Amino acid sequence: MAHITASVYTSHVPAIGATIDMDKTAEPYWQPLFKGYEFSKQWMKDNQPDVIFLVYNDHATAFSLDMIPTFAIGTAAQYAPADEGWGPRPVPVVQGHPALAAHIAQSVIQQDFDLTIVNHMDVDHGLTVPLSLMCGQPQAWPCPVIPFAVNVVQYPVPSGQRCFNLGQAIAKAVSSYDEDLKIQIWGTGGMSHQLQGPRAGLINKAFDNAFLDKLIADPQAAAAMPHIDYVREAGSEGIELVMWLIARGAMSDVNEGKAAPTVAHRFYHVPASNTAVGHLILENT
Ligand code: DHB
Ligand code: FE
C-alpha cells in the first residue's frame, strides 16, 4: 500500500525563485536563507519519495476571480511553470501522477470533501518555489508531483480545522492505494506576511514560532485557531498557513495513533522580501 513517510512545510516567496533563477543565492542578503535549506536538499536526496502531494495556493494565475475553487486536485500528466508576468520560471515541467491523483479524488470526495478536479493548469511560484528550495536546480524534478490548490486568496477561505480534517481524509485515501509508494505531503505558503494595505510589511516572529511549536506538538490546537486570528496576528497573507494543517493532518500520529513525528529540521528566517520564512521537516515514526 502507499504510505506517507514525511511532511515538509515551507514558505514560497516568489523573490526566492527569482534569486535562484538569477544565480544570486550567495548574495549577503540571501545567503542566510539558503543556508537554512542546505540540510533539506541533502535530506531530499537521502529520503527520495515516489510522489510528492504538494499543497499550495494559486495566486490568481491558473484561477482568477472568474472561478475560485476552495480545494482543487491536479489529475493531469504534466503541469507547465506559469508565466506570472515576467515569463515562466526556467524550471522543469512538473510531472503529475494521474492514477494516484484520481484515486485520492475518488476517496476524498467520497469522504465528503468537495474537490474540484483539474485536468489542465499551469503552476505558479506557490508550487515551484518549494520544489526549488527542496530540490535545487535539477534537469527534472526528482519524482511526480500531485498539485493540490487551496483558495487562500479570496475570502471566504477554508478554516484551519477543515484543512486539518482534509489532511486526515487524504491520509486515508493514500493508505488505500494498492501500490507500495512512498509519499511525502508538503504544506506551503506563510509565514507571517501582509503584502498590501496600511499593515503591509507586517512580520510577527512570536506568532510564527508559537505556530511552529504548536504544529509540531499539538496540531489539534493549531487546527482550532479561527481564521481571523491568522489575519490579525500573521497578516492578510499569513492565512496561507492553513495549508500547513492539511499536511500535518495527514501524519501518522493523528491518523494511526502512532508516536509524534520526528523533527528532522526546523528553520526560521526574517526577512525574505516582505515575508517571514518558516520551514519544517517532520518524519513519520
Ligand atoms: C510574496 C508573495 C507571496 O505569494 C508570498 O506568499 C510571500 C511574498 C511577495 O510578493 O513578496
Ligand atoms: Fe503566497
Side-chain angles (χ1 to χ4, degrees), residues 12-14 59 125 189-190 193 195 240 273-275:
H12 64 213
V13 187
H59 299 75
H125 69 271
H193 63 301
L195 301 177
E240 288 180 341
S273 187
N274 289 312
T275 306

Side-chain angles (χ1 to χ4, degrees), residues 27-103:
E27 287 196 352
Y29 178 88
W30 289 108
Q31 207 271 338
L33 174 98
F34 289 104
K35 203 164 184 311
Y37 285 83
E38 272 168 23
F39 173 91
S40 315
K41 285 192 279 188
Q42 188 58 46
W43 179 88
M44 268 309 278
K45 289 191 179 126
D46 296 341
N47 295 274
Q48 164 93 48
D50 297 308
V51 182
I52 298 166
F53 190 92
L54 205 161
V55 180
Y56 78 110
N57 70 289
D58 178 83
H59 299 75
T61 306
F63 307 125
S64 72
L65 292 183
D66 288 351
M67 267 184 265
I68 307 165
T70 301
F71 298 118
I73 186 164
T75 46
Q78 292 196 325
Y79 309 88
D83 183 348
E84 297 181 61
W86 51 91
R89 290 192 60 212
V91 294
V93 167
V94 175
Q95 305 300 323
H97 197 307
L100 177 60
H103 170 85

Side-chain angles (χ1 to χ4, degrees), residues 1-209:
M1 290 303 193
H3 59 285
I4 292 170
T5 53
S7 50
V8 172
Y9 309 80
T10 180
S11 307
H12 64 213
V13 187
I16 294 174
T19 302
I20 295 169
D21 299 343
M22 295 189 300
D23 217 10
K24 293 187 173 178
T25 58
E27 287 196 352
Y29 178 88
W30 289 108
Q31 207 271 338
L33 174 98
F34 289 104
K35 203 164 184 311
Y37 285 83
E38 272 168 23
F39 173 91
S40 315
K41 285 192 279 188
Q42 188 58 46
W43 179 88
M44 268 309 278
K45 289 191 179 126
D46 296 341
N47 295 274
Q48 164 93 48
D50 297 308
V51 182
I52 298 166
F53 190 92
L54 205 161
V55 180
Y56 78 110
N57 70 289
D58 178 83
H59 299 75
T61 306
F63 307 125
S64 72
L65 292 183
D66 288 351
M67 267 184 265
I68 307 165
T70 301
F71 298 118
I73 186 164
T75 46
Q78 292 196 325
Y79 309 88
D83 183 348
E84 297 181 61
W86 51 91
R89 290 192 60 212
V91 294
V93 167
V94 175
Q95 305 300 323
H97 197 307
L100 177 60
H103 170 85
I104 293 173
Q106 157 79 19
S107 171
V108 169
I109 290 170
Q110 289 301 318
Q111 293 177 70
D112 302 332
F113 288 89
D114 306 314
L115 307 184
T116 298
I117 293 160
V118 181
N119 289 318
H120 181 94
M121 71 174 166
D122 292 349
V123 286
D124 74 9
H125 69 271
L127 185 130
T128 62
V129 167
L131 282 173
S132 295
L133 280 168
M134 295 300 294
C135 308
Q137 293 174 290
Q139 286 300 311
W141 298 122
C143 69
V145 175
I146 297 176
F148 190 91
V150 179
N151 169 42
V152 285
V153 167
Q154 175 63 41
Y155 285 81
V157 298
S159 67
Q161 187 65 58
R162 183 150 175 81
C163 288
F164 189 73
N165 297 350
L166 173 58
Q168 294 185 263
I170 291 166
K172 194 166 170 191
V174 165
S175 70
S176 62
Y177 188 68
D178 194 13
E179 193 185 335
D180 188 20
L181 295 178
K182 295 193 289 278
I183 318 274
Q184 286 178 10
I185 182 163
W186 294 13
T188 64
M191 294 200 83
S192 58
H193 63 301
Q194 171 143 347
L195 301 177
Q196 27 73 41
R199 294 203 308 165
L202 177 146
I203 301 280
N204 187 341
K205 289 185 189 176
F207 172 89
D208 288 339
N209 281 292

